[in-house]
Amino acid sequence: MTRIKRLRTVFTAEIPETLDDGVLYVSRECRVALHNCACGCGEEVSTPLVATEYKLTMHGDNASLWPSIGNHDFACASHYVIDQGMIVWANKMSRAAIEAGREKDRLLKRPPAPSPIAETMGPTAGGLFGWFKSIFRKFFN
């Protein structure tokens, strides 16, 4: 296995069947960036480009992806950042840190709690009752 030092960015509408090492394939249509793991293990790394996942930033022809790429479920367990096309290796994370990060991700991706439904008596019950009440007060008070 040969570690990749740099990823060349290629924008494409369709992702090829086989990925070349050292290439970051970006599909804006599919909102995804794919590359072979930078450690050289050959595993395909998929990074969804949506608000709750990864952010792609271009610096000329070079891409940055944030947050870091943690391939914790691969045998290599590689962890790195793509910064302006360069691979910046990060420390391996403990199982506790990985699980804490995943829990944080789950919380961020959870849909917002539904807003409580305002308790009203409804237009027929409260409205009609309120109307009779106001009429009663107007004529009998």
Side-chain angles (χ1 to χ4, degrees):
M1 291 192 305
T2 303
R3 279 185 164 193
I4 303 296
K5 295 179 180 176
R6 174 172 208 66
L7 291 175
R8 178 175 55 91
T9 305
V10 173
F11 286 90
T12 180
E14 295 182 19
I15 302 296
E17 289 288 325
T18 305
L19 305 182
D20 290 336
D21 287 341
V23 178
L24 177 69
Y25 297 92
V26 177
S27 171
R28 288 185 171 146
E29 294 82 0
C30 298
R31 296 183 176 191
V32 68
L34 295 157
H35 67 282
N36 284 337
C37 183
C39 80
C41 69
E43 293 282 351
E44 186 177 295
V45 179
S46 175
T47 50
L49 301 176
V50 294
T52 56
E53 295 287 338
Y54 286 89
K55 180 180 179 182
L56 176 79
T57 307
M58 292 304 298
H59 311 271
D61 292 336
N62 300 312
S64 294
L65 274 180
W66 187 257
S68 65
I69 296 167
N71 297 324
H72 309 298
D73 293 331
F74 296 167
C76 66
S78 61
H79 183 208
Y80 51 90
V81 173
I82 301 172
D83 183 25
Q84 299 187 39
M86 301 295 294
I87 302 298
V88 180
W89 293 96
N91 293 331
K92 291 203 183 258
M93 296 173 66
S94 68
R95 181 51 55 188
I98 293 166
E99 293 306 321
R102 288 178 175 170
E103 180 59 25
K104 182 180 174 186
D105 283 350
R106 279 190 285 275
L107 291 173
L108 290 172
K109 295 172 188 170
R110 183 184 307 166
S115 59
I117 297 171
E119 291 187 30
T120 63
M121 295 180 69
T124 55
L128 189 57
F129 178 74
W131 182 76
F132 278 120
K133 191 174 175 181
S134 67
I135 295 295
F136 182 82
R137 283 185 180 157
K138 185 174 182 178
F139 293 107
F140 300 105
N141 282 337

